[in-house]
Amino acid sequence: MLEYQPKKDLLKNKIVLVTGAGDGIGKQAALSYAALGATVILLGRTQQKLVAVYDAIIAQGQATPAIVALDLQTANDAQYQELAQLIAHEFGQLDGLLHNASLLGSLGPLEHLPIDTLETVLKVNVTAQVALTQALLPLLRKAPSASIIFTSSSVGRKGRAFWGAYAISKFATEGVMQTLADELDGSTIRSNSINPGATRTTMRASAYPAEDPQTLKTPAEIMPIYEYLMGEDSLHENGRAFNAQ
Ligand SMILES: NC(=O)c1ccc[n+]([C@@H]2O[C@H](COP(=O)([O-])OP(=O)(O)OC[C@H]3O[C@@H](n4cnc5c(N)ncnc54)[C@H](OP(=O)(O)O)[C@@H]3O)[C@@H](O)[C@H]2O)c1
């Protein structure tokens, strides 16, 4: 799958929502999905960054994206419902959902992990993706087939000292993915996770400030698995934890 090469119009006429679409891996996924023909709904908390991604997609002559400025830390049920109504009105269905937005929180011993940090990280990295999934499932059911992709991490598969709230949230993310996959088994919707691996982004730089970013893969280099799982070549995949590298 790491060598996967999609056909050029893999996502033609597909509506795909990407969270954290303004920066890093989410930005690249939005650009890559648009390049494969998708109409991308760009969700993130910094409007300016979303507009830059929107402009880049338009400049390539691709399908006009939509911008949803929403802070997942404070978003409430009414806002998720409003988003679902908006998508229903504009597009009628949703073919793909990439849960990508995450917070790193602070790194340090679990013994000293501030509980408010734990709660904030869990809110953005776990609770928000469950709430968003709940709101969007009726629209995902309307598509002939739909893909939900969760973003995990190496520390969401094996615990590691000092990765506290973030590691806990990524284990929970795998739990959400698996629980949903089992419930969706035999349906038209599939649920899988990706561990991007070390990737050249702002989040990686804040976790490893002394590291030379040039030694890391770029978001563009890890896209094959994101493309594979979003398109029809992965219709048979459900409940699996993938690695992007
Ligand atoms: N990079 C790596 O090496 C690596 C490794 C393993 C897993 N991951 C995972 O890959 C995913 C993408 O990470 P990245 O490295 O691309 O991180 P990033 O560069 O920090 O980008 C994260 C994106 O999420 C958005 N976001 C954060 N909090 C948000 C909130 N409350 N509401 C809405 N949007 C929010 C950010 O918005 P702003 O732009 O406004 O800040 C940003 O666009 C994450 O799930 C991360 O855990 C990354």
Side-chain angles (χ1 to χ4, degrees):
M1 264 13 113
L2 305 183
E3 306 297 321
Y4 176 71
Q5 290 194 335
K7 59 175 185 170
K8 283 191 170 28
D9 62 348
L10 180 77
L11 301 177
K12 189 159 184 258
N13 299 326
K14 303 276 186 202
I15 313 298
V16 174
L17 188 148
V18 177
T19 73
D23 212 340
I25 296 167
K27 172 182 178 177
Q28 182 58 53
L31 294 172
S32 297
Y33 291 155
L36 292 171
T39 298
V40 186
I41 302 168
L42 308 163
L43 187 151
R45 66 180 168 182
T46 310
Q47 172 111 12
Q48 206 183 343
K49 291 185 181 181
L50 300 173
V51 170
V53 178
Y54 177 101
D55 288 346
I57 292 172
I58 295 291
Q60 293 297 317
Q62 292 149 358
T64 305
I67 289 181
V68 179
L70 190 66
D71 187 337
L72 297 171
Q73 196 175 320
T74 53
N76 57 38
D77 281 352
Q79 286 171 303
Y80 290 125
Q81 285 311 323
E82 198 183 321
L83 170 62
Q85 281 164 16
L86 199 90
I87 296 172
H89 182 259
E90 287 294 318
F91 306 111
Q93 68 184 54
L94 187 65
D95 304 272
L97 171 57
L98 171 60
H99 289 293
N100 162 83
S102 275
L103 283 181
L104 181 62
S106 53
L107 303 185
L110 201 70
E111 185 178 358
H112 303 302
L113 170 62
I115 295 304
D116 58 344
T117 300
L118 176 64
E119 285 174 348
T120 303
V121 169
L122 289 178
K123 178 79 198 290
V124 174
N125 297 10
V126 185
T127 311
Q129 66 187 359
V130 174
L132 187 59
T133 303
Q134 288 177 335
L136 298 181
L137 269 171
L139 286 161
L140 290 157
R141 280 197 196 98
K142 290 201 166 138
S145 66
S147 176
I148 307 178
I149 305 173
F150 292 88
T151 307
S152 185
S153 165
S154 308
V155 298
R157 296 188 179 159
K158 186 173 189 319
R160 193 184 303 161
F162 313 130
W163 281 76
Y166 181 81
I168 294 166
S169 77
K170 293 300 183 179
F171 268 90
T173 294
E174 296 283 7
V176 174
M177 179 279 283
Q178 288 184 21
T179 303
L180 193 60
D182 205 30
E183 291 176 7
L184 294 172
D185 191 34
S187 80
T188 50
I189 312 176
R190 57 203 191 279
S191 160
N192 296 283
S193 72
I194 298 174
N195 164 23
T199 309
R200 198 185 306 167
T201 67
T202 309
M203 183 188 285
R204 177 73 190 187
S206 53
Y208 293 89
E211 183 176 65
D212 176 4
Q214 297 307 317
T215 61
L216 303 173
K217 291 253 198 266
T218 63
E221 288 174 301
I222 63 163
M223 281 300 115
I225 193 70
Y226 284 81
E227 295 168 345
Y228 169 70
L229 283 178
M230 195 51 85
E232 64 188 15
D233 292 318
S234 62
L235 284 180
H236 57 289
E237 307 284 14
N238 188 39
R240 288 188 62 192
F242 290 85
N243 292 308
Q245 300 186 39

